[in-house]
Amino acid sequence: MLTIQVLHGPNLNLLGKREPEIYGQQTLDTINQMLAEEARRLQIAIEFFQSNHEGALVDQIQAAMGQVQGILINPGAYTHTSVAIRDAIAAVAIPTVEVHLSNIHRREPFRHHSYIAPVAVGQISGFGAESYRLGLHALVNHLQSS
Ligand code: CA2
């Protein structure tokens, strides 16, 4: 059975509690429950991890080696800054899909660049919590067709 690691970056633990006009009403727990339900339908296993710390995310990506077949990541603000997370994804060579709640390309210019996109299978941005569901489907389709 395929196992997918879901990684949520900094401040995503605040979802549903602050700035609902940008990031929506759903909490991180609600999004994880929706993904767990989707995983049951797809008959895959799924694991969740959130951290506000870059090194903890790098450690989790390294620990995923040999344990999971795909990574679904919302790197949060580290999308735009983290060479370390990009290098970890490239090093473990686990197919990775990058997702964003907001459309990073229609926001401030500093959000337009992603360090992660060049090492990802693809990026889904702008559909709120649905970005995660679409990303999970895209990742599983990619893994099952390769
Ligand atoms: O749109 C996304 O998913 C982002 O990855 C979210 C990041 C932002 O830095 C990226 O540019 C785009 C920010 C996550 C912060 O989440 C919050 C949630 C509720 C309240 C405050 C922040």
Side-chain angles (χ1 to χ4, degrees), residues 80-93:
H80 320 297
T81 64
S82 183
V83 176
I85 291 174
R86 174 199 178 119
D87 284 352
I89 291 169
V92 298

Side-chain angles (χ1 to χ4, degrees), residues 7-26:
L7 296 175
H8 304 285
N11 295 311
L12 288 161
N13 55 312
L14 296 177
L15 278 179
K17 298 167 185 167
R18 299 273 188 282
E19 300 187 274
E21 65 287 354
I22 303 177
Y23 297 115
Q25 306 274 2
Q26 287 192 270

Side-chain angles (χ1 to χ4, degrees), residues 1-2 4 6 30-46 48 72 129-141 144:
M1 189 190 264
L2 288 178
I4 302 298
V6 179
T30 311
I31 291 174
N32 287 344
Q33 282 164 25
M34 174 270 287
L35 289 172
E37 177 58 34
E38 209 61 39
R40 265 191 294 280
R41 282 198 203 104
L42 293 166
Q43 298 187 301
I44 60 160
I46 195 159
F48 302 100
L72 184 68
E130 180 71 3
S131 291
Y132 282 93
R133 207 181 61 80
L134 293 168
L136 181 63
H137 276 264
L139 180 56
V140 170
N141 282 344
Q144 289 177 342

